[in-house]
Amino acid sequence: MNETRLRAAGILAGSDIFRTASLLLYATLLFHTMLLVYAKHLSLTPIGMGTVVLLLTLLTISFIRYFWLSTAILLSEKFLLAEVLVATCSIAVLAAQSTIPALPIPWLIAIAGVFPLVLRHRIAILCIAALTLIGYRLNVYLGATAGDWLPDLFATICIGWLSLLLAKTLNINRIALSKARTNERRFNAIARVTRHIFIITDADYRIKFANPALQEVIGYSYEEILRNAIKPILHPDDEEEHKEKLRHLRDTPHSTIFSRHRTRHKDGHWVWLETRGYNMLHDSAINGLVFSIEDITLRKDVELKLQEETAMLRAVLDLNPSMIYVKDSDGRFTISNQVFQRRFGYSSEDELRGKTVYDICLKMANGNDELSPREIADEIQQQDQQVMQTGIPLQDMEAPGFWHNDMHLWFHTSKYPLRDARNNIIGILGVTRDITKRKTTEIQIEYQAMHDMLTDLPNRRYLVNRLATAMETSRQQQSSLTMLFCDLDFFKSVNDTHGHDFGDQCLLEISKRIVAVLPETDFVARFGGNEFVILTNSSLAESSIKAKAIARAVSERLIFDNVAVKIQISIGIAQLSPDHQVPADLIREADAAMYQAKERGRNRTEIYDAALQIKSTKHARMDVALRFALERNELSVAYQPKVSLVDGRVRGFELLLRWNSPEYGMISPNEFIPIAETSGMVVPIGMWAMEQACRQLAAWQASYPAMGDITVAVNVSMRQLLHTSFFTQVREILDSSGVVPRTIELELTETSAMANPLQTIENLALLKNLGLRLALDDFGTGYSSLAYLQKLPIDILKIDKTFVHGLGTKQSDREIIRLMMALAQTLNLQTVAEGVETSAHVHELQKMGCDLGQGFIFSPPLSAEEAETLICSSHQFPLG
């Protein structure tokens, strides 16, 4: 196989010569034999005829061997030895035929010259010896004189030996050439893959060789440079120096150069190159200048950045008001900032470098000091040794000055171990600052650190400290300890809508309300942002009563600068148990209960129990299941009628989603819609609901032309509204379904609309241009600004059921609805009341001029078939 590859590479091997020589040998021998028989009219004996047949066979084998290289068996050593034997015997037989006057020696010489080309050295020597012996015996047998055969015997030996030498020479040449080509391929491979540029030029700097990295670094390929005679453009700052080095390299035999310079890239930017040149004009194999060039642009950028960072760090170090210094393992100063230098009377870092703390103490000492310079230095040195030996920093050490003149000053010191790349400690870093002012106002600072600046309530740090003490006291006295974790609902929208100053006013007022409804023995803290925590020695039942009182106080209307808002609160309650080891345990459970309250609709109180974890797990599993609900056809829709409060006729429907999960059964939208909002599945689910509504309504409009402008309302979340493709998808659904656009209503909750009012106005305007009707749902439960509300392109105002349920029982709810009706009439908006369940509700809403009602007094949510029955029969609900 190796010889085959070598032949393909143009290398002549011994086997190649052998195949040709053996073919010619057998052809010549056979031709000679046949010529003698023909010319002398000789007759062959049967043995002679057999010999001729053997020669024909050998000729055929050599012919096959010559033209078919895959016949490796014909070149195997065993076969070749058998072939030598057959050929020798054939010659001997032919020579023994008295009728054929042919001497055997020339043919034996030929065999001795051919077969050693492919036989191993020792076997070839044995073959040559055997052929010499056979030739001698045949000549003696044929009666030839010594003068006739002796020279031929020497010729046999010489020719055989020369054949051996030829085979050995060919083999050596083959190996050498193979190694040369291997080395050449390796060099080419290295030159191709390396990121360094390798260039060989002549004495005039004309390129003779360049690897592909040239184009990667400067943008020009080797061919471009040769074809267009492109010369490198050097940076003006580097040009003269680099050219001088090139001249030195060319003119100085065996010389080398090193250069860093910039050259222009093909696209115009400068590239930093690091060049090493070697004068090899004396080497006949190269006869040129050899250059190894590395692109160091990134390195130079890093070096420049490092220099800039070093300068910046030096500036930060020197401008830092603290005294900063570094000592080595021997306690000698190596780095210090200007504050430290001035503090001890040194003018520069170099002046201080190498000195020890003993030198400084001697310099600063005077006769009035309580401690001697050595005692002061020993104490400081002991601290340094402790840090370096243990590897543990000494932090927040506060102490007055050591010297008499500094006794009235206080200093804060921290010392840190410095480590090298192998994590060995090689010194310390010290940071000392003057904290005299802080000490003089320590009480004030401590108070501020433990209290909230806005509400003046204890903050989180104070809470944790107080809770740790309260937990220990509660266990010692075997009393109950309960935590209420409170979080204001949707408070971010208040800040976003009215500004943070307005939000701060709300927080201040709410904190006062919370404190006012609780006894003085309860501990109230602002945990952070819009979160408040109450610690009370009350039972769970008593804590629940307090939570309700807090919720009532917080929910009362807040009015600042003629802006009224109504804020609600979610509260989580957790009681101290033996499982609580640290304050964070109780805080975590109260916080978890609070989030459970938010997940259940907000504006409520939840008590922590072990089932919270199970519910959280169920929430996660439902999240996964909801992602497959659409493709598994688990979602369905229902239609709840919207009834005119004037004549009782159906004026529209609200589309409501239903999820029938194989794992959890029928799931309320109040449970799975928040999950869909969190996971983002509300977008595809919402578009599916939109498509269902449009297709169903289009089918009804086609079947019942007399139905008029009966509408179907679809709820839209803010996540849907802000989605980039929402407008396009709605337009495509309207076009594909053929529904009349004005009969489709999109309902957006007030809270969602106010989350990003400017974006909401812009997006709703686009939907309005499609002909859709727009409704503001759950009005009165959020924090609408009238300035934004009048800009929303809405058609319908939906009154939340929480206010409708209070009709007849709560005068405040009646007044709120009356104000909403007045607002709707002012803005020329249609009104829809949700949650209408009694005749009293209907009567009150009629008196206030509400247009439509929706609730169980009229009908629960219906299937599409049931809703169609109402449409086709022009059903009229009784209003009495």
Side-chain angles (χ1 to χ4, degrees):
M1 186 63 68
N2 289 337
E3 291 185 355
T4 301
R5 288 198 295 268
L6 290 170
R7 282 193 292 273
I11 303 172
L12 195 62
S15 59
D16 296 306
I17 299 175
F18 169 75
R19 289 186 299 108
T20 304
S22 61
L23 178 62
L24 294 175
L25 171 64
Y26 299 138
T28 305
L29 179 57
L30 189 60
F31 177 74
H32 182 214
T33 302
M34 299 306 297
L35 186 62
L36 287 175
V37 171
Y38 177 77
K40 296 181 179 293
H41 304 289
L42 303 175
S43 59
L44 295 175
T45 63
I47 296 177
M49 287 298 295
T51 303
V52 172
V53 172
L54 283 177
L55 289 176
L56 283 172
T57 303
L58 292 175
L59 178 63
T60 303
I61 290 172
S62 64
F63 184 84
I64 294 171
R65 185 163 51 207
Y66 182 81
F67 287 101
W68 284 276
L69 298 179
S70 60
T71 55
I73 190 173
L74 300 182
L75 287 172
S76 65
E77 194 169 69
K78 292 181 179 179
F79 186 85
L80 292 172
L81 289 174
E83 187 177 342
V84 170
L85 181 59
V86 171
T88 303
C89 291
S90 298
I91 292 172
V93 170
L94 288 174
Q97 295 289 312
S98 59
T99 57
I100 301 177
L103 293 176
I105 289 299
W107 303 110
L108 293 177
I109 293 173
I111 292 175
V114 170
F115 280 91
L117 292 171
V118 290
L119 293 174
R120 283 185 296 173
H121 189 74
R122 292 184 180 178
I123 294 176
I125 291 174
L126 292 176
C127 285
I128 293 169
L131 290 170
T132 304
L133 182 60
I134 291 170
Y136 165 73
R137 297 294 297 174
L138 284 174
N139 279 284
V140 171
Y141 173 75
L142 296 174
T145 63
D148 294 329
W149 54 264
L150 189 57
D152 292 336
L153 290 182
F154 283 111
T156 303
I157 296 172
C158 292
I159 294 299
W161 187 254
L162 290 174
S163 179
L164 280 174
L165 293 177
L166 177 61
K168 185 175 182 180
T169 302
L170 289 174
N171 187 53
I172 292 173
N173 289 341
R174 175 179 61 81
I175 293 173
L177 187 55
S178 176
K179 288 183 178 179
R181 294 194 173 180
T182 299
N183 291 335
E184 182 181 2
R185 289 197 299 273
R186 289 174 179 171
F187 171 77
N188 289 335
I190 293 172
R192 283 197 303 273
V193 303
T194 185
R195 298 184 64 86
H196 283 56
I197 302 174
F198 291 115
I199 296 177
I200 301 176
T201 71
D202 59 16
D204 295 324
Y205 310 115
R206 290 189 293 267
I207 297 178
K208 298 164 61 178
F209 169 82
N211 65 336
L214 177 66
Q215 185 172 4
E216 295 181 16
V217 174
I218 67 171
Y220 294 102
S221 65
Y222 175 52
E223 292 75 14
E224 284 182 285
I225 294 175
L226 291 182
R227 183 174 59 253
N228 302 322
I230 297 173
K231 294 184 179 180
I233 301 175
L234 299 175
H235 194 279
D237 296 342
D238 308 329
E239 184 175 9
E240 187 59 35
E241 180 182 357
H242 183 65
K243 287 184 176 180
E244 179 62 30
K245 290 181 179 180
L246 288 178
R247 286 191 292 269
H248 171 76
L249 177 68
R250 179 191 59 190
D251 298 337
T252 307
H254 304 279
S255 62
T256 62
I257 63 167
F258 176 81
S259 173
R260 284 185 179 177
H261 60 279
R262 285 159 287 183
T263 188
R264 189 185 295 277
H265 191 275
K266 183 178 180 179
D267 62 13
H269 71 272
W270 294 104
V271 180
W272 271 100
L273 301 178
E274 188 174 88
T275 301
R276 287 175 171 80
Y278 306 88
N279 186 328
M280 301 190 71
L281 293 169
H282 60 279
D283 191 328
S284 60
I286 297 177
N287 189 25
L289 305 175
V290 180
F291 296 94
S292 172
I293 305 174
E294 180 183 0
D295 182 358
I296 59 168
T297 304
L298 292 178
R299 190 198 307 170
K300 292 294 291 186
D301 291 342
V302 171
E303 289 176 357
L304 179 60
K305 187 175 181 181
L306 184 60
Q307 292 172 358
E308 293 173 350
E309 290 180 351
T310 302
M312 181 184 67
L313 290 175
R314 184 75 252 180
V316 170
L317 194 66
D318 288 336
L319 295 175
N320 196 303
S322 298
M323 294 178 283
I324 302 174
Y325 57 89
V326 173
K327 295 180 184 178
D328 60 18
S329 57
D330 295 327
R332 299 186 179 277
F333 291 96
T334 58
I335 298 175
S336 59
N337 67 344
Q338 291 181 358
V339 177
F340 186 85
Q341 296 157 19
R342 289 195 299 267
R343 173 75 177 83
F344 296 105
Y346 293 94
S347 59
S348 67
E349 186 177 73
D350 292 335
E351 187 179 354
L352 180 61
R353 185 179 291 112
K355 290 183 170 52
T356 66
V357 67
Y358 294 96
D359 299 326
I360 290 180
C361 288
L362 286 173
K363 182 179 180 181
M364 297 292 295
N366 61 61
N368 296 323
D369 293 337
E370 294 182 2
L371 298 175
S372 68
R374 187 167 190 83
E375 288 174 330
I376 297 173
D378 284 342
E379 182 177 346
I380 297 173
Q381 185 70 9
Q382 185 178 358
Q383 294 175 353
D384 296 346
Q385 290 297 324
Q386 179 183 342
V387 173
M388 287 190 286
Q389 290 173 3
T390 63
I392 301 173
L394 291 176
Q395 296 180 341
D396 303 325
M397 296 183 296
E398 296 181 357
F402 288 110
W403 298 282
H404 178 76
N405 296 334
D406 294 339
M407 294 298 292
H408 65 287
L409 301 177
W410 278 84
F411 297 94
H412 175 280
T413 301
S414 295
K415 297 183 178 183
Y416 306 91
L418 291 180
R419 301 177 183 272
D420 60 14
R422 291 173 292 185
N423 208 35
N424 296 322
I425 296 177
I426 58 173
I428 65 164
L429 167 67
V431 180
T432 300
R433 68 176 184 271
D434 188 335
I435 59 169
T436 305
K437 291 182 180 180
R438 194 202 73 186
K439 278 294 182 180
T440 58
T441 57
E442 188 174 31
I443 296 176
Q444 179 183 357
I445 294 175
E446 182 178 359
Y447 182 85
Q448 293 176 348
M450 303 297 284
H451 289 76
D452 175 53
M453 296 297 294
L454 174 65
T455 62
D456 205 36
L457 291 175
N459 60 12
R460 182 184 302 189
R461 180 185 298 176
Y462 197 164
L463 169 69
V464 173
N465 294 340
R466 178 66 175 266
L467 180 55
T469 304
M471 289 171 64
E472 183 178 354
T473 303
S474 176
R475 288 187 172 116
Q476 290 175 351
Q477 299 178 356
Q478 296 183 350
S479 61
S480 62
L481 178 64
T482 306
M483 174 178 287
L484 285 72
F485 200 107
C486 310
D487 184 88
L488 303 180
D489 296 333
F490 301 111
F491 192 75
K492 181 179 182 299
S493 63
V494 175
N495 284 327
D496 293 343
T497 305
H498 305 292
H500 287 274
D501 291 339
F502 184 90
D504 288 345
Q505 288 180 296
C506 293
L507 286 173
L508 183 58
E509 177 60 26
I510 288 171
S511 67
K512 292 178 180 178
R513 292 182 182 183
I514 293 175
V515 172
V517 299
L518 294 173
E520 293 183 0
T521 54
D522 289 346
F523 179 82
V524 182
R526 185 185 179 193
F527 195 72
N530 55 312
E531 297 173 332
F532 297 88
V533 170
I534 296 97
L535 283 180
T536 177
N537 294 110
S538 305
S539 65
L540 288 176
E542 294 170 335
S543 299
S544 297
I545 295 173
K546 291 181 178 180
K548 291 179 180 178
I550 293 171
R552 284 195 301 271
V554 170
S555 62
E556 292 179 6
R557 186 178 305 179
L558 292 166
I559 302 176
F560 300 106
D561 299 329
N562 296 324
V563 177
V565 295
K566 185 177 181 180
I567 298 175
Q568 296 172 334
I569 192 168
S570 297
I571 304 175
I573 302 177
Q575 192 171 46
L576 181 67
S577 70
D579 295 334
H580 298 145
Q581 302 298 320
V582 294
D585 296 338
L586 183 59
I587 293 173
R588 182 178 63 251
E589 291 189 359
D591 187 36
M594 182 272 294
Y595 274 105
Q596 187 70 13
K598 285 188 175 292
E599 291 175 359
R600 291 185 170 181
R602 305 177 188 267
N603 191 29
R604 60 185 294 135
T605 300
E606 289 292 333
I607 298 175
Y608 179 84
D609 57 26
L612 283 178
Q613 188 64 35
I614 299 175
K615 293 175 183 177
S616 299
T617 304
K618 180 183 177 183
H619 186 285
R621 291 179 177 174
M622 287 179 64
D623 186 6
V624 175
L626 186 59
R627 297 177 186 275
F628 299 96
L630 268 179
E631 61 186 69
R632 293 173 179 171
N633 296 320
E634 296 174 5
L635 295 179
S636 59
V637 295
Y639 300 86
Q640 187 171 34
K642 293 192 291 186
V643 179
S644 170
L645 296 180
V646 177
D647 57 12
R649 295 187 180 276
V650 177
R651 299 302 182 186
F653 297 91
E654 181 180 359
L655 184 141
L656 303 174
L657 280 171
R658 297 291 184 266
W659 179 21
N660 187 8
S661 170
E663 183 177 359
Y664 301 104
M666 188 63 71
I667 303 174
S668 167
N670 292 334
E671 187 173 2
F672 74 82
I673 290 299
I675 298 175
E677 285 276 7
T678 303
S679 65
M681 282 300 296
V682 71
V683 175
I685 290 175
M687 293 313 303
W688 177 83
M690 178 75 177
E691 187 173 5
Q692 296 296 313
C694 290
R695 294 191 184 280
Q696 184 61 70
L697 185 55
W700 287 340
Q701 290 170 351
S703 301
Y704 309 103
M707 68 183 288
D709 288 338
I710 290 179
T711 63
V712 172
V714 183
N715 288 282
V716 176
S717 73
M718 179 54 64
R719 186 185 288 265
Q720 283 180 270
L721 188 63
L722 297 181
H723 200 274
T724 54
S725 61
F726 179 70
F727 176 77
T728 303
Q729 289 179 312
V730 170
R731 184 175 58 192
E732 291 175 352
I733 291 174
L734 293 176
D735 293 341
S736 62
S737 65
V739 72
V740 178
R742 69 175 179 273
T743 59
I744 294 294
E745 296 176 2
L746 299 185
E747 293 187 3
L748 185 70
T749 64
E750 177 190 9
T751 303
S752 297
M754 290 299 102
N756 191 343
L758 296 179
Q759 185 67 42
T760 301
I761 293 172
E762 180 181 346
N763 292 346
L764 291 181
L766 294 174
L767 296 171
K768 186 71 175 177
N769 291 336
L770 294 177
L772 298 169
R773 286 165 57 83
L774 305 176
L776 191 63
D777 197 8
D778 298 340
F779 184 70
T781 63
Y783 318 97
S784 297
S785 166
L786 295 181
Y788 283 121
L789 184 61
Q790 67 178 350
K791 295 179 182 179
L792 291 174
I794 58 175
D795 306 285
I796 304 160
L797 204 62
K798 297 195 72 174
I799 302 170
D800 188 73
K801 61 184 178 182
T802 57
F803 302 108
V804 175
H805 290 170
L807 286 176
T809 58
K810 295 183 180 179
Q811 183 63 26
S812 60
D813 287 344
R814 187 178 186 281
E815 290 300 318
I816 290 174
I817 295 178
R818 186 180 62 79
L819 291 173
M820 293 181 187
M821 297 301 303
L823 176 63
Q825 292 170 4
T826 302
L827 298 178
N828 195 26
L829 303 176
Q830 188 182 42
T831 54
V832 180
E834 296 180 306
V836 181
E837 297 181 355
T838 66
S839 297
H841 293 165
V842 175
H843 180 66
E844 290 289 337
L845 291 170
Q846 285 178 322
K847 285 197 301 181
M848 287 186 283
C850 184
D851 299 314
L852 302 176
Q854 177 183 344
F856 280 89
I857 190 174
F858 302 119
S859 173
L862 306 174
S863 66
E865 293 77 12
E866 293 170 332
E868 186 173 352
T869 302
L870 294 180
I871 294 173
C872 66
S873 63
S874 299
H875 184 79
Q876 187 172 3
F877 289 97
L879 300 177

